[in-house]
Amino acid sequence: MKNNKVVIYIGLLAIGILLGWFLFGGSSHTENEHNHDAVAESNQMWTCSMHPQIMQPEFGDCPICGMDLILAEAGADGLAADQFKLTDNAMALANVQTAVVGSGEAEDDAIKLSGKIVENEEANAVQVSYFSGRIERLNVSFTGEEVRKGQLLATIYSPELYAAQQELLTASSLKESQPALYKAVRNKLKLWKLSENQISQIESSGKVQENVPIYATVSGTVTEKLIEQGDYVKQGQPLLKIANLSTVWANFDVYENQIEILKKGQEVSVVTNAYPNKEFTGKVDFIDPTLNTKTRTVTLRVVLSNKDNLFKPGMFVSGKIKGVASNTKEVLTIPSTAVLWTGERSLVYLKPDPNETVFEMREITLGSKMGENYQVVDGLENGDEIVTNGTFTVDAAAQLQGKKSMMNHKSDKNESKEAHFNLNERVTVSKDFQNQLKAVFNGYIQLKDALVKDDANNSAEEAKKLLSHLSKVDMKLVKDKDAHEHWMVLEKEIKDSATSISNTSDLVDQRRRFKSLSTHLTNAIEVFGINEKVYHQYCPMVDNDTGAYWLSKEEKVLNPYFGDAMLRCGEVKQVIE
């Protein structure tokens, strides 16, 4: 009996322990596991494969293209996709040094500017013809020739001037009885820029000059010949452009946050690579009141004496304005050793965590150079830590680890595009998408017809209409990932080409852009289709015999690249069904 009680107690104790484990131990483990998952899930970010700038904490659709978001990639060490790590040993061997970006003032209490030499527009002149006629002889042989005021430039045969000289001889015989008529005829010849000596010579000789000389009204250098010997010119038509290069302008770019410290009359020291041991001085003559919205700069002009003809228009120069930094607000600057240059881009390597040797590439926008530093316009903030020494070594490490770097950042993008352009097979898309693409094609045809008619203004307007149709194409209708990405590339190229056409009235430039537009729209129609027969036509003589294609709704060839000049040049190369 006693043994039975012991067994019951032991059983109850075992049941209690087991029940307690289920109630408390199990729930604790579950809770810990749940919390761990929650933390892990809360740290996950979702991005779009087409638009990596999209980062969201939850799964969903891309707000730009509508594709499903994917988990943002991270390495096994927890680094972001574009980050990489260097060991302490590698940092030491490469002597990699970093510095915190901070505000500062220009070195040597001066600001450096970059600029270019241009002609002094105030000293330029255009030699014109003051009467109509034919150029019998042109005495200016080439562009760049020096001419002096009063020098014979050309002789012109003018029927109307010939008749006016005969009137002078007639009026001269009647000057006693009709002095007003005589004076009026002489004044008429003076309006045509005949001198008193020329008029008196005609009177005294009693002979009419068949060929009338044209003399230079200014001294300078011929920068452009606008006529050739034998040409017929009208009254007021320009003959030559003459520039007086005894003074030139140095035009410098000034960033908008520097405008307030620069004033008219400030002295500027100017140097050029052509004469590295010489320093020239001039004064600020003009500051452009209009800001260039693309470069965020204004033009500062300095007038320079050029009596020795040292400065040539087009020459690059550097300018330094001293004594202005103390008046400026603090600016964000970085050492020049921190910057990597790749064409138009400026890159630095950022160290996002001061306690870790982790780096990532950052593209920035630089302002003017100030001593051995550059002003940072965009891309960095006060307090960011960047690599200032061993930058190329860090870039090499990024390349080896397959991360964004100076060498592969741009090429990756280009390779991606090339891969997309290899997609030429027809893919299945909705009828709605095809109809939207067809509207773009119809806009293209209107643009093509305007180019056929040599109508630059209408071409620009039709390009704007094409852009309007393009903006209504819903990329979310393309569900296949590869096709979706391909359309995004094509859409950008079509948009860029059409925008360029809409922004110019130069027919030659419009046709050059039309070649690119045709290439990418053709590929779009080949891949997605528009349920309409399209004729793919080609002319081998376009673009200096390199050839060009275009699209048409009809088999008849009407060449948009030559218009009336060679309207029928071309043939049908393909019919896209």
Side-chain angles (χ1 to χ4, degrees), residues 121-346:
E121 295 178 7
E122 295 177 342
N124 288 352
V126 178
Q127 189 77 43
V128 301
S129 174
Y130 294 98
F131 43 83
S132 301
R134 183 178 64 249
I135 305 292
E136 291 294 310
R137 182 173 179 79
L138 182 62
N139 293 346
V140 176
S141 304
F142 55 90
T143 300
E145 185 174 345
E146 297 287 336
V147 298
R148 301 179 308 278
K149 184 177 181 179
Q151 178 180 329
L152 179 64
L153 299 178
T155 54
I156 298 181
Y157 169 73
S158 173
E160 60 182 0
L161 190 56
Y162 188 90
Q165 292 179 72
Q166 290 180 324
E167 289 180 7
L168 174 65
L169 295 179
T170 302
S172 179
S173 63
L174 301 173
K175 63 180 178 180
E176 298 296 336
S177 59
Q178 299 188 39
L181 175 63
Y182 171 70
K183 185 176 180 181
V185 173
R186 284 182 65 92
N187 288 338
K188 180 179 180 180
L189 292 173
K190 288 181 180 179
L191 291 174
W192 282 335
K193 295 302 178 180
L194 267 66
S195 65
E196 283 284 355
N197 290 336
Q198 286 178 291
I199 296 173
S200 298
Q201 185 179 359
I202 295 171
E203 282 189 80
S204 59
S205 65
K207 295 181 179 180
V208 175
Q209 291 183 350
E210 291 187 1
N211 298 326
V212 181
I214 300 293
Y215 298 102
T217 57
V218 295
S219 299
T221 303
V222 176
T223 58
E224 189 174 355
K225 287 174 59 181
L226 302 173
I227 45 91
E228 296 294 340
Q229 187 167 298
D231 287 351
Y232 186 86
V233 296
K234 297 180 180 179
Q235 183 178 5
Q237 180 176 333
L239 306 177
L240 303 167
K241 288 186 178 181
I242 300 174
N244 188 335
L245 299 179
S246 60
T247 61
V248 293
W249 288 349
N251 285 342
F252 295 98
D253 292 327
V254 176
Y255 287 92
E256 55 184 317
N257 62 344
Q258 298 174 325
I259 296 174
E260 66 173 346
I261 64 175
L262 301 174
K263 301 290 186 289
K264 187 175 180 180
Q266 286 176 323
E267 188 172 279
V268 182
S269 299
V270 179
V271 294
T272 175
N273 290 336
Y275 314 105
N277 298 323
K278 291 186 178 181
E279 185 175 286
F280 307 88
T281 59
K283 292 188 175 181
V284 177
D285 179 67
F286 174 77
I287 300 176
D288 197 329
T290 305
L291 182 78
N292 185 322
T293 56
K294 292 183 179 179
T295 61
R296 308 306 303 173
T297 62
V298 298
T299 299
L300 178 144
R301 186 171 72 209
V302 176
V303 180
L304 297 171
S305 175
N306 194 33
K307 292 182 179 179
D308 297 329
N309 202 29
L310 297 178
F311 293 111
K312 316 294 183 184
M315 184 181 288
F316 289 105
V317 292
S318 298
K320 181 186 289 185
I321 304 178
K322 297 181 179 180
V324 294
S326 59
N327 300 325
T328 67
K329 297 178 180 178
E330 289 188 333
V331 294
L332 201 63
T333 60
I334 60 174
S336 57
T337 56
V339 183
L340 294 174
W341 303 91
T342 63
E344 298 179 353
R345 297 182 303 142
S346 306

Side-chain angles (χ1 to χ4, degrees), residues 452-464:
V452 167
K453 297 176 182 177
D454 300 321
D455 190 342
N457 291 331
N458 192 29
S459 297
E461 290 301 317
E462 294 299 339
K464 293 178 182 178

Side-chain angles (χ1 to χ4, degrees), residues 16-28:
I17 293 173
L18 184 63
L19 183 61
W21 182 85
F22 276 114
L23 292 176
F24 299 101
S27 64
S28 175

